[in-house]
Amino acid sequence: MSEEISVAEAYRRGRTIFMGLELLIAPGALVPRPETELLGMTALDVLRQMNLSTPRVVDMCCGAGNLACAIAHYAPAAQVWASDLTDGCVEVARRNVAHHDMADRVSVLRGDLFSAFSGLELDSTIDVIVCNPPYISEKRLEGDRAHLTELEPREAFAAGPYGLSIHMQVIKHAPRYLRRGGILLFEVGLGQDRQVMRLLERSKSFEGIRAITNEAGEGRVVVGHTTP
């Protein structure tokens, strides 16, 4: 089944499965992809290793809220703040939080990246930030990946001339919110893992930088730790 057909079918049904959870979906928010489960599982592994009583997690570019809900489900002590730029994503994410009765632990806010958290006093308090940002270049969206925007919002894919504009912004501002020893995790596009690792290295705010590969040996998640 092609990607376009499976997306259309998911929208028709109004729901999909992500990390074993039923999620509601609607036009205006990206349909959660199976490859993003690697980011979710890596985040849960990191949280288990941290062994915190009440972990504090941010889901940046939350889309339909799939990562926020999955992390809250499998790490039931976690407090999660999720954000996205568009009303469509925020509406669907909030529906999923309500669908899984998580409103006491998962907050969904609308804003441009970290600006969504203005006034919440989250500075230096977050243990883990997960981010599945747009990561397709404008050129590819006008070329071989143009089909992606036929059914799903362009904002879910477009990421500047090199497909890394959102990664760069998150790397710049994440250290303000992460506590010492906090962890930033990204999903990256095919072939972007080394570029994102270099961006983390150049920021001089992260160490222990590494890529997590999928079953095909492709680096699809990049992890960095703030200095303890």
Side-chain angles (χ1 to χ4, degrees):
M1 181 183 293
S2 72
E3 187 176 20
E4 297 95 316
I5 293 173
S6 60
V7 167
E9 176 64 12
Y11 279 144
R12 186 188 70 77
R13 296 171 66 178
R15 60 198 62 224
T16 192
I17 302 296
F18 179 82
M19 291 179 65
L21 291 185
E22 179 186 74
L23 290 170
L24 308 175
I25 56 170
L30 185 76
V31 176
R33 302 308 207 253
E35 57 264 29
T36 302
E37 294 189 0
L38 180 63
L39 177 58
M41 296 305 296
T42 304
L44 291 171
D45 287 344
V46 161
L47 288 170
R48 278 191 286 268
Q49 292 164 19
M50 296 173 96
N51 195 27
L52 303 166
S53 58
T54 52
R56 295 164 66 86
V57 179
V58 160
D59 176 13
M60 182 62 58
C61 307
C62 70
N66 45 303
L67 287 165
C69 289
I71 289 169
H73 177 78
Y74 292 109
Q79 191 77 31
V80 183
W81 290 265
S83 76
D84 209 295
L85 180 62
T86 69
D87 290 327
C89 287
V90 170
E91 180 183 346
V92 175
R94 286 176 175 167
R95 285 177 59 204
N96 279 313
V97 170
H99 184 59
H100 289 285
D101 196 23
M102 295 174 172
D104 58 330
R105 294 192 299 116
V106 182
S107 302
V108 182
L109 302 124
R110 193 189 75 79
D112 187 2
L113 300 177
F114 291 101
S115 68
F117 307 136
S118 177
L120 297 184
E121 299 183 352
L122 298 183
D123 296 29
S124 303
T125 71
I126 301 301
D127 300 297
V128 172
I129 295 174
V130 297
C131 182
N132 177 22
Y135 51 71
I136 298 177
S137 69
E138 297 286 352
K139 183 176 180 179
R140 293 196 69 193
L141 275 181
E142 293 168 4
D144 66 317
R145 307 297 278 171
H147 64 280
L148 292 172
T149 60
E150 292 174 6
L151 295 174
E152 296 175 283
R154 183 181 181 85
E155 298 91 342
F157 302 103
Y162 303 106
L164 297 171
S165 62
I166 307 301
H167 293 88
M168 294 169 69
Q169 292 181 60
V170 172
I171 288 169
K172 178 180 178 181
H173 297 289
R176 171 182 168 184
Y177 294 88
L178 287 167
R179 64 166 176 83
R180 286 175 175 250
I183 299 176
L184 174 61
L185 303 97
F186 283 116
E187 179 168 317
V188 298
L190 283 172
Q192 290 181 333
D193 50 327
R194 292 184 180 179
Q195 294 168 289
V196 174
M197 290 169 71
R198 281 197 293 270
L199 290 172
L200 285 165
E201 289 165 359
R202 287 179 196 154
S203 77
K204 307 224 185 306
S205 296
F206 296 91
E207 61 184 27
I209 300 162
R210 66 193 191 278
I212 308 297
T213 57
N214 60 16
E215 292 181 355
E218 301 158 333
R220 297 304 306 269
V221 170
V222 171
V223 182
H225 302 241
T226 57
T227 307

